[in-house]
Amino acid sequence: TDRSRGLGDVYKRQVFGMMGRMDEHNENLNREIISIKKNIETIKKNDTEMKNTITEMKNTLEGFNSR
């Protein structure tokens, strides 16, 4: 019984160790997700700005063509 209790402690330590590593991995994943979301927002903003620039350029060209 002393031996089985000792093994139980070993198993508990292993499980707690794995849980700690899982928490660390989850934190890393959350940081990556936040970074990706920020990148997506930047891409959306840049896309909108590019579309606006293209529209302005088209309007300018139409103005030249109508002269």
Side-chain angles (χ1 to χ4, degrees), residues 29-40:
L29 285 173
N30 285 334
R31 280 193 290 276
E32 289 295 323
I33 289 169
I34 289 168
S35 176
I36 289 169
K37 285 180 177 180
K38 287 179 182 177
N39 289 338
I40 289 171

Side-chain angles (χ1 to χ4, degrees), residues 47-62:
D47 182 60
T48 300
E49 289 173 358
M50 285 178 24
K51 286 178 181 175
N52 291 339
T53 300
I54 290 170
T55 300
E56 289 173 12
M57 292 171 74
K58 284 181 181 178
N59 292 339
T60 300
L61 287 173
E62 287 174 3

